[in-house]
Amino acid sequence: MSGLRRGWSDTTPLLDQRNRSLSNSHTKRRPHSVILEMTSAVNDATPSRSGPVFLGVDVGTGSARAGLFDESGKLLGSASSPIQIWKDGDCVEQSSTDIWHAICAAVKSACSLAKVAGQEVTSVGFAATCSLVAVDSDGSPVSVSWNGDSRRNIIVWMDHRAVKQAEKINSCNSPILQYCGGAVSPEMQPPKLLWVKENLQESWSMIFRWMDLSDWLSYRATGDDTRSLCTTVCKWTYLGHAHMQQKNEKDRDMEACGWDDDFWEEIGLGDLIDGHHAKIGRSVAFPGHPLGSGLTPTAAKELGLAEGTPVGTSLIDAHAGGVGVMASVPELVSEAKVDDEEAICGRMVLVCGTSTCHMAVSQSKLFIPGVWGPYWSAMVPEFWLTEGGQSATGALLDSIIENHVASPSLANRAASRNISVFELLNSILESMTHEKKSSFLAALTEDVHVLPDFHGNRSPMADPKAKGIICGLTLDTSEQQLALLYLATLQGIAYGTRHIVEHCNAHGHKIDTLLACGGLAKNPLFLQQHADIIGCPFILPRENESVLLGAAILGAVAAKKYSSLIDAMKALNAAGQVIHPSKDPKVKEYHDAKYSIFRGLYEQQVSQRSLMAQALS
């Protein structure tokens, strides 16, 4: 998620900033710059506040963000601060210390912008990428890096160092694997843990706690080591449905009753069972559960907030986006199905940023090969969560654009017009449609096809070895050719989403409505191509910052301002624009043809992989 905002186009950091943030060497500590995001609710006069103010914090891949919301779910103001990242091949690492400093800077700046005093903040909720944090018994960082740099104590979600470990775990055929689509991904925590044990023995012996990043944030804020059902279920193979009888549990801590000890023994990580799973979570709670006694004195001072401010159990960032948008339906729709629990089961939320997560819920558990889940209560309490995903979407678009020879001139032209590269590309495509007298814009890519698996296929093929394909390249190096490649990539991403939706519906879901949030959801071309390709309406939330809102909802529930997470969602979610698919039958026929080619590209790749394996055997 980008900290910069200049309209919808800030789907991801601008190209030069993305390059800086992902450079391989960040050895010097830099002061945290803060980017303020002002809303219409902010004015020059200090407002008198009679209602609660909910703070949401979201740590994405490139920045930490903070946003303040009122009791109607309206954003009062937000700010972001960049965070460091180190990339070296398949290894991607960050620093928990750096992230905490960025959060403190963003929170203070958001409060200042919204003219909200720290004492006025009612509650706090955290969301973050599903990255893996390592700390010792004092809470100090322990290196997970080959070079031993103690700052680098986080294995980032997108890190793919543990592909072989994932294969080893999957070869065990443990029954627990059926709850993550039949196989763990190298982006999940067990393979990463196994990699550290096999490769960094000194670090392994020093680590006292392994935590998902969002759990570490709430722990850093409250001192309470209770983990979230969301993180443990979705990324650690914890069985959330072990808590089915505890949904009305009143004690602050909940026993971690969903760990499968046989699984951890079988994969070679039996030492994590010791001390009632002390290193990976002795207690697990529902999202939004109040933690400890709220903010500790130290954390409160660092954040500029009041000691004891309630803090709710966290969510993964994509899941917070689901909580922040899933109840955002137009009033006429919500009135028609006001008491119908099945209504929410017909929706899929796309949380679109560096990657895209596809979140859908059901009342019964649905086992879907190649799609993560079913996860009980991992997002919406008492519903089973299905989680599809594409590992590179915003990051893929950036890569396609950055690596084209026309990129510098395009970036200069965009800057001279004070618009983003994406807006300029969309404008070029509109002009090309008129010049070529094309019946519709999408038809410009009839000769260009993209399989977007440049960082593997997360869903529904669950193939981390999958590669991207571009079919239809020429010697043309013009901006127009780059625009076509950009459009074909957008379409490839949308065909991937169609594949996920169709696969889920073939296994029991009844998805007929899509909701979108995140940076890419600010791009109208991205949205329209998805609506046309999938054939479903797209509903956007009233507030763009749905992940921040979802995080804020966690704190609101912890502060007892709402009786449940679902009640808070209904009160604070609100619908905005609706994008409908084209009614032109030619558009549908065109995309059906391209979708067939899209599916064939992966099948050809698998066949080619087999041929080459035979040749090298």
Side-chain angles (χ1 to χ4, degrees):
M1 301 275 179
S2 171
L4 299 176
R5 292 188 60 194
R6 293 175 185 162
W8 63 263
S9 57
D10 290 317
T11 61
T12 49
L14 297 180
L15 300 180
D16 58 340
Q17 288 154 337
R18 172 61 64 89
N19 284 337
R20 287 199 296 270
S21 68
L22 296 184
S23 64
N24 290 339
S25 172
H26 288 285
T27 57
K28 293 183 180 180
R29 177 140 190 92
R30 67 196 189 289
H32 283 285
S33 58
V34 178
I35 297 161
L36 305 180
E37 306 181 33
M38 188 173 292
T39 74
S40 59
V42 180
N43 53 51
D44 293 332
T46 301
S48 58
R49 304 200 181 280
S50 58
V53 177
F54 308 123
L55 171 62
V57 174
D58 167 40
V59 178
T61 307
S63 65
R65 304 183 306 141
L68 296 154
F69 296 85
D70 65 18
E71 58 190 333
S72 69
K74 185 171 181 60
L75 181 66
L76 302 175
S78 62
S80 69
S81 185
I83 55 179
Q84 293 175 299
I85 188 166
W86 293 270
K87 294 189 72 176
D88 184 11
D90 287 333
C91 296
V92 189
E93 297 153 356
Q94 289 180 321
S95 161
S96 63
T97 302
D98 175 69
I99 286 173
W100 184 254
H101 285 298
I103 287 171
C104 293
V107 168
K108 290 176 182 177
S109 298
C111 289
S112 176
L113 177 69
K115 301 188 185 304
V116 172
Q119 302 294 321
E120 294 180 284
V121 174
T122 305
S123 59
V124 183
F126 291 100
T129 62
C130 49
S131 300
L132 180 63
V133 184
V135 294
D136 65 17
S137 58
D138 296 324
S140 300
V142 178
S143 177
V144 293
S145 179
W146 278 117
N147 70 4
D149 185 344
S150 62
R151 294 174 302 169
R152 295 157 68 163
N153 70 316
I154 297 177
I155 301 179
V156 179
W157 67 270
M158 65 170 65
D159 184 292
H160 271 207
R161 71 181 70 183
V163 170
K164 291 183 178 179
Q165 285 73 22
E167 292 175 348
K168 178 180 177 181
I169 292 170
N170 292 330
S171 69
C172 294
N173 295 316
S174 169
I176 208 168
L177 298 179
Q178 66 181 316
Y179 287 95
C180 49
V184 296
S185 161
E187 295 176 14
M188 292 178 177
Q189 310 306 11
K192 292 174 179 175
L193 292 166
L194 187 57
W195 184 93
V196 173
K197 183 175 183 179
E198 292 178 350
N199 293 279
L200 301 176
Q201 273 293 328
E202 184 176 355
S203 289
W204 182 261
S205 64
M206 293 172 59
I207 293 166
F208 186 75
R209 283 187 177 92
W210 287 103
M211 308 184 78
D212 238 76
L213 178 55
S214 59
D215 284 330
W216 180 82
L217 296 176
S218 58
Y219 167 70
R220 179 66 173 76
T222 67
D224 188 337
D225 189 24
T226 298
R227 312 298 176 93
S228 168
L229 261 179
C230 176
T231 59
T232 52
V233 169
C234 295
K235 304 303 171 186
W236 297 73
T237 70
Y238 187 84
L239 299 177
H241 46 286
H243 290 266
M244 277 186 167
Q245 304 304 316
Q246 297 183 336
K247 56 181 178 290
N248 296 318
E249 183 271 345
K250 296 180 181 179
D251 295 334
R252 181 165 63 245
D253 294 339
M254 300 169 69
E255 181 186 355
C257 54
W259 294 118
D260 187 317
D261 292 352
D262 290 340
F263 169 75
W264 293 102
E265 292 278 9
E266 187 176 14
I267 67 172
L269 293 175
D271 42 342
L272 295 179
I273 299 171
D274 296 345
H276 300 288
H277 315 94
K279 289 187 177 182
I280 57 176
R282 295 181 65 173
S283 60
V284 178
F286 289 85
H289 197 78
L291 292 173
S293 299
L295 290 178
T296 64
T298 299
K301 182 178 180 180
E302 293 168 336
L303 294 165
L305 305 177
E307 178 184 344
T309 302
V311 177
T313 311
S314 62
L315 283 167
I316 298 168
D317 54 354
H319 302 66
V323 167
V325 74
M326 186 159 268
S328 299
V329 293
E331 289 185 8
L332 291 178
V333 174
S334 61
E335 289 172 4
K337 297 183 177 181
V338 65
D339 295 320
D340 188 0
E341 285 194 346
E342 292 185 6
I344 198 172
C345 298
R347 306 169 195 160
M348 174 175 277
V349 176
L350 273 63
V351 185
C352 319
T354 303
S355 62
T356 295
C357 291
H358 304 70
M359 325 293 286
V361 298
S362 58
Q363 292 175 295
S364 58
K365 57 182 176 181
L366 302 172
F367 294 99
I368 305 175
V371 177
W372 296 345
Y375 301 139
W376 188 75
S377 289
M379 187 174 76
V380 181
E382 300 182 53
F383 283 84
W384 293 88
L385 171 66
T386 291
E387 181 185 348
Q390 295 164 295
S391 294
T393 51
L396 173 58
L397 289 168
D398 281 352
S399 178
I400 292 293
I401 296 168
E402 290 168 13
N403 289 302
H404 195 278
V405 68
S407 181
S409 64
L410 192 77
N412 288 335
R413 279 218 297 143
S416 69
R417 294 171 56 179
N418 197 31
I419 61 174
S420 77
V421 168
F422 300 104
E423 285 175 298
L424 181 55
L425 285 168
N426 290 358
S427 175
I428 291 171
L429 290 167
E430 290 285 355
S431 298
M432 292 175 66
T433 303
H434 294 300
E435 291 169 6
K436 296 179 179 293
K437 297 182 180 179
S438 178
S439 55
F440 50 90
L441 184 147
L444 293 171
T445 59
E446 61 178 314
D447 295 324
V448 186
H449 310 281
V450 173
L451 183 71
D453 296 340
F454 285 60
H455 198 55
N457 183 287
R458 186 188 298 172
S459 304
M461 306 314 298
D463 182 359
K465 294 183 177 180
K467 302 294 188 292
I469 295 175
I470 300 175
C471 178
L473 292 176
T474 71
L475 294 177
D476 187 352
T477 59
S478 66
E479 291 181 0
Q480 288 74 20
Q481 185 62 25
L482 172 54
L484 289 180
L485 192 56
Y486 158 72
L487 175 58
T489 304
L490 276 182
Q491 292 170 339
I493 292 169
Y495 296 131
T497 294
R498 174 173 168 175
H499 193 190
I500 292 168
V501 171
E502 290 183 352
H503 189 67
C504 289
N505 283 347
H507 288 83
H509 278 284
K510 297 179 181 179
I511 298 162
D512 58 14
T513 303
L514 301 178
L515 300 96
C517 65
L520 287 176
K522 300 171 187 176
N523 185 335
L525 183 59
F526 176 89
L527 294 169
Q528 191 62 59
Q529 292 301 296
H530 272 72
D532 292 346
I533 287 168
I534 301 165
C536 294
F538 249 102
I539 300 174
L540 299 180
R542 180 191 63 195
E543 296 292 344
N544 288 330
E545 302 295 351
S546 298
V547 176
L548 284 176
L549 177 58
I553 285 173
L554 299 172
V557 175
K560 309 298 183 185
K561 296 299 181 181
Y562 301 93
S563 60
S564 69
L565 192 70
I566 291 179
D567 286 344
M569 289 168 61
K570 290 178 179 177
L572 300 175
N573 285 192
Q577 182 185 4
V578 180
I579 294 92
H580 295 281
S582 171
K583 295 181 179 179
D584 185 345
K586 291 183 179 179
V587 173
K588 182 181 184 307
E589 184 178 357
Y590 175 83
H591 284 305
D592 285 348
K594 286 206 66 159
Y595 180 60
S596 177
I597 293 171
F598 167 86
R599 296 289 299 272
L601 288 175
Y602 178 76
E603 293 169 2
Q604 291 170 29
Q605 179 178 150
V606 172
S607 175
Q608 291 163 3
R609 192 191 301 171
S610 176
L611 285 172
M612 296 310 299
Q614 292 177 25
L616 293 171
S617 62

